[in-house]
Each structure stands twice: as C-alpha cells, then as structure tokens.
Amino acid sequence: VDDEPDDTTRLGSVAELSRIIDEQRPDLIVLTDAETSALALDRLLAAPTDGFKVVGLAHFFEHAFGRVPLQDLSPNWFMSVLHLRRPTYTRFAKRTFDVVCASIGLVLTAPLLPVIAALVRLTPGPMIYRQTRVGEGGRHFTMFKFRTMRADAEADLPAYADLRDPRVTPVGRVLRMTHLDELPQLWNVLRGDMSIVGPRPERPEFIPMLEEAVPFFSRRLLVKPGVTGWAQLRSDYSSDVEGAEDKLSYDLWYLRHRNLLVDLAICAKTFSGVLIRPGR
C-alpha cells in the first residue's frame, strides 16, 4: 500500500490498512520502504495479528530468491549474522563435517588420482598447480589443483580464467568439465585452509579492485572458503566485477543461513549437478 497515487493497482492507503487486512486476509505483508514501513507498522501492531506475518523487502528478497539484495544492504544487516537468536553452527560441528567429507572423498577417488596425474603430465609443467588464495579473515594460503593450463599461462600478469580459456590444455578441459581438477582441494580441507562448503577463495591480486567496486565484498571472508558453495550452484561462471557482485549476493545469503542441513543440501546438489550438468 502507498499514500501516493500511481499507475499500479492499489488496495488502498496506509490509513485503510486495517480494512484491507480484514478484506484480503493476507498470509504475508511486505514492507517496502522505511517511510511507509514506519506508518504501516503502527497500524499493523494495532490490527489483529493472527493469520499474517510481516517482513521487510530485503528479508523477503532473501526468502524468495536465495540471495541478498546488495543495493539495499546496510551495515546493520550484518548484525543478523551475530544475532543472539541465530541458530549456532559451531566451529567444531563445521570442522567435523569438513574432515569427514574430505576423508570420504579422498578414499573414494584414490584410484583416480594416479590416472589423472599421468594425464596431466602429458603436457610440460608441474602435476599440481599451487596458487595463493585469500581465506578466512584475509589470511593467505596455498590452494592445490591438478594443473589444467599450460605451464606459461600466467607468464605476464594474473588474469581471470574464462569459460573458453585458450590457455587450458585438452586434458585440462576435461578435468574442468568434470571438476576432477578440484580433488586436491580436499587436502586443503584437511589442512584447515578451506571448508567443503563456503564462498570460493579469491586471488589476492584481485581483492583491492573487488573491494573498491563491490560493496561489502570483504565480508565474505568471515567464513572459510569452500570447495563448493551456494553461489557456485546458483550463479554462472564469474570473470568480471559484475559476476563477482552477483556471486557475493549468494555468498552473503550463505553467510547468514549456513547450518549443517544447508551444507548437506549444497553437497547433494553439487554432486547431482556434476553428474547431470558437467562443466557447470
């Protein structure tokens, strides 16, 4: 509802809110802006509260789309991450989940590792590619992957990898399509550098640019980076600032809603996605 006339279909003004609720019997009321919300909330509190719930626009956006509206985000939003009533996902529970999953993953894929290693060595260069990434709290760590590019791929300057990157070797392209190049990151999980589920770790060379261009980008460092994550399931391949902003909206949703069930669901969706849509 809105006190100002416009071209949209209106049920009435804020002054008529009690009547509208009585006639429409809504299940959910979304408050869309600060000025109207303050007026509406007074009347909602005076109305019978049985049968409907009230939510702000940002929270409704999160619920409906599984992402956070960055343009409407304020520093106060992050209070919800530390809120007293927020269900806890302790470091011990998260760490136990990570160690169990990483151990099972390494055991199940152990027969594949020497085969992949032999295929990678068909092209000149190291078998394992080591790259510095930024982890929880801004701490740098070395991330491991099976090499998928030419050994001289970054002889000049660091660059974003592209979906059809010409630097990728034929074997590397298959490894990327099947995500088998990520298997060494399970060792990063056992070392405690990464989690099974979390935001993907960014390279330190790109952090200053992204922090300047994308609001609240550094807040994704509040949790450990992950081998897979909510953003990886919901967003396409990112190779620019716009893509990083899109992924951040999903990473912040995970930051707020993370728990064991969410992690299990993301892992299950990742596994089914790799089988059904390789290369995603």
Side-chain angles (χ1 to χ4, degrees):
V1 292
D2 195 327
D3 280 332
E4 298 296 327
D6 53 37
D7 295 330
T8 61
T9 301
R10 294 171 53 215
L11 298 175
S13 67
V14 173
E16 302 172 282
L17 192 53
S18 296
R19 174 188 61 78
I20 295 169
I21 292 173
D22 188 58
E23 290 179 356
Q24 301 296 325
R25 301 290 181 180
D27 296 314
L28 181 68
I29 297 174
V30 181
L31 303 178
T32 58
D33 66 83
E35 183 178 354
T36 304
S37 296
L39 295 172
L41 196 55
D42 284 340
R43 297 185 179 276
L44 290 172
L45 290 172
T49 55
D50 292 338
F52 68 86
K53 295 182 179 180
V54 181
V55 68
L57 182 61
H59 289 171
F60 175 74
F61 191 96
E62 287 183 46
H63 176 76
F65 301 107
R67 62 191 297 183
V68 172
L70 296 182
Q71 65 275 13
D72 296 324
L73 213 57
S74 70
N76 289 336
W77 179 90
F78 292 92
M79 212 164 110
S80 63
V81 176
L82 305 172
H83 198 276
L84 177 66
R85 294 177 182 249
R86 185 184 178 278
T88 58
Y89 190 17
T90 66
R91 282 186 174 271
F92 177 78
K94 178 76 164 169
R95 182 61 181 155
T96 300
F97 176 81
D98 289 340
V99 171
V100 170
C101 289
S103 300
I104 292 173
L106 285 172
V107 169
L108 293 178
T109 59
L112 286 174
L113 299 181
V115 177
I116 297 172
L119 291 173
V120 172
R121 293 304 296 269
L122 292 176
T123 57
M127 179 182 64
I128 297 293
Y129 179 59
R130 294 168 171 82
Q131 191 177 70
T132 300
R133 295 290 179 113
V134 181
E136 184 180 19
R139 183 177 64 85
H140 291 195
F141 70 96
T142 300
M143 189 182 77
F144 306 109
K145 296 179 68 174
F146 282 117
R147 181 176 55 83
T148 59
M149 291 187 177
R150 302 189 313 265
D152 62 347
E154 291 193 330
D156 298 323
L157 290 172
Y160 273 116
D162 190 77
L163 192 60
R164 297 176 180 83
D165 202 315
R167 300 172 297 170
V168 177
T169 65
V171 170
R173 201 168 302 281
V174 175
L175 293 179
R176 287 190 171 199
M177 288 285 291
T178 57
H179 297 279
L180 292 174
D181 62 316
E182 313 272 1
L183 288 179
Q185 289 169 41
L186 296 176
W187 177 244
N188 281 119
V189 174
L190 291 180
R191 283 166 46 120
D193 299 323
M194 298 176 64
S195 286
I196 292 295
V197 179
R200 286 297 291 168
E202 190 53 79
R203 300 182 62 175
E205 296 89 348
F206 302 137
I207 291 289
M209 173 190 68
L210 292 171
E211 286 182 335
E212 182 177 351
V214 182
F216 306 110
F217 184 81
S218 62
R219 294 295 183 265
R220 69 203 296 276
L221 302 178
L222 289 170
V223 293
K224 283 184 182 180
V227 178
T228 185
W230 183 237
Q232 281 63 52
L233 294 178
R234 300 297 297 268
S235 184
D236 289 328
Y237 201 90
S238 172
S239 60
D240 52 26
V241 169
E242 183 178 341
E245 184 172 339
D246 186 57
K247 285 200 167 185
L248 178 64
S249 70
Y250 291 107
D251 285 334
L252 292 182
W253 184 95
Y254 175 76
L255 175 66
R256 179 172 179 172
H257 297 278
R258 68 192 188 281
N259 57 51
L260 182 58
L261 288 178
V262 168
D263 279 5
L264 287 170
I266 289 174
C267 288
K269 187 69 174 176
T270 299
F271 185 72
S272 63
V274 168
L275 293 179
I276 297 171
R277 298 181 62 189
R280 170 73 174 176

